[in-house]
Amino acid sequence: MSQFNKENSIEVSNLSVTYDLDGKSIQAVKNTSFNVPKETMIGIIGETGSGKSSLIRALNGLIKFPGIVNFDSLNILNEEGLESEFSFNKLRGKDVGFIPQNPFGSLNPVYKISKQFGFVNKRHNIYDSKVLDSEINKALSEVGINDPERVKSSYSFELSGGMAQRVVIALATFAKPKLLFADEPTTGLDVTVERQLLDNFFDFVKNKNMTLVLVTHDLGIVAQYCDVTFVMYKGEIVENGTVHEIFKNPRDPYTIQLIKASSEEIS
């Protein structure tokens, strides 16, 4: 295995994700290789079913049976060969954050929101107990929650979908991770809150030494906020480059059609 390049947050060689369903093998990600430079915002775009979510879930060790992940090498934040669940668990939550599409699937309905922040804090020893309460309030406020006291004393089922999504984002960024994966993180949020959160992500990347890998269907978000774009089609990254290169001079026919369709929707 080659030595990890310290300028990258992620290095992947020949990663594939296959689902065995009813005797049939469906390859969601096909032998994909790429690097993610440190302190950049990567936008992964592509239509539904292109493999975007499977890719970033594989990078988090979150693919479960009947899904199978294979790779020649996978290095994340200098942790080489992350085959084991234990290796992923060492990183996930503190050094690596993950924001899924479904907020209610990530929040435990049995515990109040404050308790769930407490679990994260205890596991990773982030803040002293004397300042924990104020740090929770700060984290909730940063994602556009105006009444953090009420929210943190609530259960997830007492929250709206948009409010739950904001809580999940606050939890994922609570430890100020070095690497953050976000799978359609602003789904269900109004435009004002969406832009506020994206501005926060941009600030984290530029001022807090964080790398963001963002899956989104919104090409406008990628064009405005991201540094680099990966275009996925049928499980493969068919094109990648800087945002300027991809949007001003796309080469792959699928990329051309994707950008054209997005432009027509806007107009």
Side-chain angles (χ1 to χ4, degrees):
M1 185 177 296
S2 61
Q3 186 175 3
F4 189 91
N5 186 331
K6 293 182 179 180
E7 297 303 313
N8 295 325
S9 291
I10 305 171
E11 294 182 351
V12 179
S13 176
N14 291 325
L15 173 70
S16 65
V17 179
T18 304
Y19 296 96
D20 289 334
L21 301 172
D22 298 326
K24 297 181 180 179
S25 293
I26 300 173
Q27 197 165 17
V29 180
K30 303 175 182 178
N31 299 323
T32 298
S33 302
F34 59 90
N35 297 331
V36 175
K38 283 185 177 180
E39 299 174 30
T40 56
M41 288 183 69
I42 309 294
I44 302 179
I45 58 177
E47 61 191 332
T48 300
S50 61
K52 306 186 302 297
S53 294
S54 289
L55 174 61
I56 65 168
R57 292 186 72 85
L59 294 175
N60 279 270
L62 296 174
I63 299 292
K64 305 299 182 184
F65 183 83
I68 300 170
V69 179
N70 291 299
F71 49 81
D72 290 340
S73 65
L74 171 55
N75 301 332
I76 298 178
L77 298 177
N78 299 324
E79 292 284 340
E80 294 191 357
L82 292 172
E83 293 95 344
S84 70
E85 182 69 19
F86 175 73
S87 294
F88 278 106
N89 282 339
K90 286 195 302 182
L91 293 172
R92 196 186 303 124
K94 184 176 182 180
D95 292 323
V96 177
F98 179 71
I99 303 170
Q101 290 186 33
N102 176 17
F104 292 108
S106 301
L107 297 173
N108 193 322
V110 177
Y111 298 104
K112 292 183 177 180
I113 299 304
S114 59
K115 191 73 172 178
Q116 297 184 57
F117 274 95
F119 290 150
V120 173
N121 189 68
K122 182 177 181 179
R123 179 177 181 181
H124 299 293
N125 194 26
I126 306 167
Y127 299 108
D128 186 273
S129 58
K130 295 179 181 178
V131 300
L132 178 59
D133 194 60
S134 62
E135 290 294 339
I136 295 174
N137 285 350
K138 180 181 177 182
L140 293 172
S141 297
E142 284 181 343
V143 296
I145 294 176
N146 297 321
D147 50 354
E149 290 290 346
R150 180 187 68 82
V151 171
K152 72 182 182 183
S153 63
S154 301
Y155 294 95
S156 60
F157 57 81
E158 296 177 316
L159 304 176
S160 67
M163 190 67 73
Q165 183 72 339
R166 281 180 259 192
V167 169
V168 168
I169 294 171
L171 279 165
T173 57
F174 191 52
K176 303 297 186 290
K178 299 174 184 176
L179 174 62
L180 179 65
F181 294 94
D183 190 359
E184 300 282 3
T186 56
T187 299
L189 303 180
D190 62 54
V191 175
T192 301
V193 175
E194 176 186 66
R195 295 299 164 173
Q196 179 185 7
L197 292 173
L198 290 168
D199 286 344
N200 285 344
F201 289 155
F202 186 83
D203 177 66
F204 285 151
V205 170
K206 300 306 176 184
N207 300 320
K208 300 180 181 180
N209 303 318
M210 189 181 79
T211 302
L212 174 67
V213 180
L214 172 69
V215 166
T216 180
H217 66 280
D218 191 330
L219 273 64
I221 289 176
V222 174
Q224 182 175 349
Y225 289 96
C226 293
D227 304 300
V228 175
T229 307
F230 292 172
V231 183
M232 290 198 71
Y233 178 63
K234 292 186 177 180
E236 298 181 275
I237 297 176
V238 295
E239 188 166 2
N240 69 83
T242 67
V243 167
H244 180 79
E245 290 169 345
I246 297 297
F247 282 85
K248 294 297 183 181
N249 188 31
R251 300 180 303 277
D252 188 85
Y254 175 72
T255 307
I256 295 171
Q257 290 300 316
L258 193 66
I259 293 174
K260 180 181 178 181
S262 178
S263 300
E264 291 175 352
E265 287 179 4
I266 294 173
S267 61

